[in-house]
Amino acid sequence: MTERLGADAAGLARAAALLRAGDLVAFPTETVYGLGGDARNGAAVAGIFAAKGRPRFNPLIVHVADLEMAAQIAAVSPQAYDLVQAFWPGPLTLVLPLRKEAGLSDLVTAGLDTVALRMPAHPLSRALLQAFGGPLAAPSANPSGKVSPTTADHVLEGLSGKIAAVLDGGACAVGVESTILSLEPPRLLRPGGLPVEALETALGAPLAMGGDAAKPNAPGQLSSHYAPGAAVRLMATETHENEVFIGFGPGPEADLSLSESGDLVEAAALLFATLRKADVLASQRGAETIAVAPVPETGLGRAINDRLRRAAAPRG
Ligand code: TXA
Ligand code: MG
């Protein structure tokens, strides 16, 4: 059975021991809960795909304790170094050239010659990486295609019995996954918890968006992801009968709200939990659709809208 570990020295020691033994441990980051496994252990990484029921071996993000660990795994160019100084630890993932001697499982990088690295800011993920002493592969700790977890309860709802343990650190503060950036030239691969505007300011130039050879999806094609059970209708400006309505800011009376004051930071933090609540309400009422009010495409709104569009995409 899946152990629930406390946010204390005993919980951390147990989590690190399980990871060293090649077992899987979900842990909190500031973005969402990650499903962690030793990035150097092929069996552990394969176990991540199996536990999530991921149909494809997409490359995974590798989490590091510090810059030294990052530099052992990847070549950190001066431009990457500047971004690290500005934004690590935090919700920025950098795709960097993989060092051949890094010793990562090929499955983590899906055989690419680049690796996605991130240094999370959450105190528990940092303590866990320190205690474990190596790189952790960690996608979001949810079954493939489902809503990402922002609490330990969410993790257990989806993966109980399939992973060794979850380290319980309460609710995640940011609430959407990290922003992914590839370099030379800088290109945004996924909008996320670090607003694009902050990156553009640091880079001193507008950022090219999307479309990367490493991505299996054709540009512009949105795969269904982050999907609740009910269908999702976006940009809803009025409530329909037989729908659950999720509001944002002032607007029609809503069943649930991402943020009554229209605060994008609050909305990002509540996004996935609100989709889960809406799903429960929908099945209680026999409603087939979750309608969501428009969210502005600025700051964290970009990541929120990306996740909402995927939640609303045709299910394949
Ligand atoms: O916030 C987050 O980033 C969360 C938490 C747990 O840290 N992690 C997360 O990891 O979302 P993951 O493994 O699900 O992210 C995988 C995505 C891939 O779908 C791909 O878009 C990108 O990371 N990626 C990974 N390696 C890549 C590479 N070498 N080149 C391009 N993209 C890559
Ligand atoms: Mg995910």
Side-chain angles (χ1 to χ4, degrees):
M1 277 305 95
T2 301
E3 299 172 38
R4 186 196 287 262
L5 303 174
D8 51 22
L12 280 166
R14 175 75 182 145
L18 287 166
L19 289 166
R20 260 179 237 118
D23 289 326
L24 305 182
V25 177
F27 63 94
T29 80
E30 70 279 20
T31 60
V32 301
Y33 274 71
L35 176 52
D38 185 344
R40 303 157 300 189
N41 179 335
V45 177
I48 293 176
F49 288 101
K52 285 181 65 81
R54 265 211 196 180
R56 266 196 312 254
F57 289 154
N58 302 332
L60 301 179
I61 294 175
V62 174
H63 297 63
V64 294
D66 47 36
L67 179 58
E68 195 187 334
M69 198 183 282
Q72 281 165 7
I73 295 171
V76 182
S77 67
Q79 184 174 53
Y81 183 79
D82 288 346
L83 292 168
V84 163
Q85 290 300 318
F87 299 115
W88 279 11
L92 173 67
T93 295
L94 294 172
V95 174
L96 301 172
L98 174 68
R99 287 192 191 282
K100 287 203 174 55
E101 66 280 15
L104 295 190
S105 144
D106 285 339
L107 212 43
V108 169
T109 53
L112 299 169
D113 53 12
T114 53
V115 59
L117 289 184
R118 133 163 167 80
M119 189 199 295
H122 194 294
L124 268 187
S125 31
R126 303 199 68 194
L128 180 63
L129 283 159
Q130 293 286 350
F132 175 62
L136 288 175
S140 55
N142 53 280
S144 183
K146 299 293 186 205
V147 177
S148 298
T150 52
T151 67
D153 284 344
H154 295 165
V155 173
L156 290 170
E157 276 164 35
L159 297 176
S160 184
K162 297 192 166 145
I163 62 175
V166 56
L167 191 57
D168 190 347
C172 302
V174 176
V176 290
E177 292 84 346
S178 62
T179 300
I180 305 180
L181 186 74
S182 67
L183 290 170
E184 288 162 47
R187 181 172 284 275
L188 182 78
L189 301 185
R190 177 175 79 182
L194 180 70
V196 170
E197 291 87 340
L199 275 174
E200 291 183 326
T201 302
L203 292 164
L207 198 51
M209 306 280 165
D212 186 87
K215 286 198 127 185
N217 296 331
Q221 192 186 327
L222 278 183
S223 53
S224 167
H225 208 104
Y226 309 99
V232 177
R233 181 170 75 87
L234 300 182
M235 308 292 284
T237 50
E238 78 246 350
T239 54
H240 291 179
E241 243 181 85
N242 219 23
E243 280 185 351
V244 172
F245 190 84
I246 300 178
F248 175 81
E253 202 184 317
D255 297 297
L256 298 161
S257 180
L258 290 173
S259 168
E260 282 174 6
S261 64
D263 176 356
L264 288 167
V265 174
E266 180 182 23
L270 295 180
L271 175 66
F272 292 132
T274 305
L275 285 174
R276 284 167 191 271
K277 282 186 196 156
D279 217 14
V280 171
L281 267 182
S283 59
Q284 281 168 357
R285 291 189 200 162
E288 279 168 12
T289 306
I290 297 168
V292 190
V295 174
E297 185 77 7
T298 56
L300 290 182
R302 217 188 281 256
I304 294 170
N305 284 323
D306 172 77
R307 305 309 187 269
L308 285 173
R309 283 191 289 267
R310 288 172 199 273
R315 315 279 162 87

